[in-house]
Amino acid sequence: MRIVAGRWKGRVLKAPSSQDIRPTSDRLRESLFNILAHGHDIEINGARVLDLFAGTGALGLEALSRGASFALFVDEGAEARALIRENTQTLGAAGITRLFRRDATRLGPVAPFQPFTLVFADPPYGKGLGEKAIASARDGGWLAPDALIVVEERGDAEVAAPEGFEHIERREAGDSQIVFLRHRA
């Protein structure tokens, strides 16, 4: 696994040793960020990123490499948190990141943080956890008005936009799908 573009382009990320974490492939991350760069009215430069079910942190770190100003990684797993810590330290990103051990489907209030403009949710496939997590983020005030939410899910799973979200686009990517939603406060 490598950072695809930006200031850390080509830098290697530590990958999981177990099958419990399913990182987004370099190719899918490249496609995703190309879509973000050329549509959906989102500015990566300066974005505040919330990476839910963060795994290795690859999505948030890719955003930081491309100019995001801050990333908060949320994951309950011990292996995931260790990988995120190692990857942020390797890239020298400790000052622009935070890591929370928390259930992404029960975030609670956003304080002391400001709301986030770009959210990635890459939950375990087929359990409806992406929708629960973004609803939790909405309820806790984690989302800026018009925040863009990107949900990665198994290709044949139904991803329904919770109340307060507008479905923008769905893209197939091998056996996965990427769903883009907009928070409408």
Side-chain angles (χ1 to χ4, degrees), residues 25-100:
S25 71
D26 294 357
R27 186 175 189 163
L28 182 54
R29 261 186 294 114
E30 181 175 22
S31 295
L32 167 61
F33 279 90
N34 282 338
I35 294 165
L36 291 174
H38 302 293
H40 301 299
D41 193 31
I42 183 76
E43 180 62 46
I44 300 291
N45 195 35
R48 293 181 47 75
V49 177
L50 178 60
D51 191 346
L52 303 172
F53 309 98
T56 63
L59 289 168
L61 292 168
E62 187 74 42
L64 288 170
S65 181
R66 294 169 184 248
S69 64
F70 179 79
L72 174 64
F73 302 98
V74 178
D75 206 299
E76 279 192 304
E79 181 184 11
R81 291 190 322 277
L83 287 167
I84 293 164
R85 276 192 290 277
E86 185 168 340
N87 287 332
T88 55
Q89 288 173 351
T90 297
L91 296 173
I96 54 174
T97 62
R98 290 283 306 271
L99 172 60
F100 276 8

Side-chain angles (χ1 to χ4, degrees), residues 2 13 22 32 44 64 67 86 91 98 105 146 148 153:
R2 296 181 183 277
L13 297 175
R22 178 196 35 78
L32 167 61
I44 300 291
L64 288 170
E86 185 168 340
L91 296 173
R98 290 283 306 271
T105 65
D146 297 322
L148 184 69
E153 181 56 90

Side-chain angles (χ1 to χ4, degrees), residues 9-28:
K9 180 180 180 177
R11 299 282 301 269
V12 176
L13 297 175
K14 182 152 174 98
S17 58
S18 75
Q19 297 296 325
D20 295 337
I21 299 172
R22 178 196 35 78
T24 303
S25 71
D26 294 357
R27 186 175 189 163
L28 182 54

Side-chain angles (χ1 to χ4, degrees), residues 99-183:
L99 172 60
F100 276 8
R101 176 185 180 186
R102 192 173 290 185
D103 179 345
T105 65
R106 290 186 237 153
L107 290 171
V110 69
F113 295 104
Q114 295 298 312
F116 293 85
T117 57
L118 178 60
V119 178
F120 297 108
D122 185 8
Y125 282 179
K127 299 180 180 182
L129 297 175
E131 294 96 320
K132 290 178 184 174
I134 61 175
S136 175
R138 174 201 63 211
D139 295 345
W142 292 79
L143 306 176
D146 297 322
L148 184 69
I149 293 85
V150 180
V151 180
E152 183 181 338
E153 181 56 90
R154 188 178 66 218
D156 62 352
E158 180 67 31
V159 178
E163 185 178 334
F165 295 91
E166 175 186 357
H167 183 274
I168 303 294
E169 181 179 7
R170 177 189 178 277
R171 296 267 184 121
E172 291 186 26
D175 64 350
S176 300
Q177 64 177 310
I178 302 170
V179 177
F180 298 87
L181 305 170
R182 179 78 62 189
H183 177 239

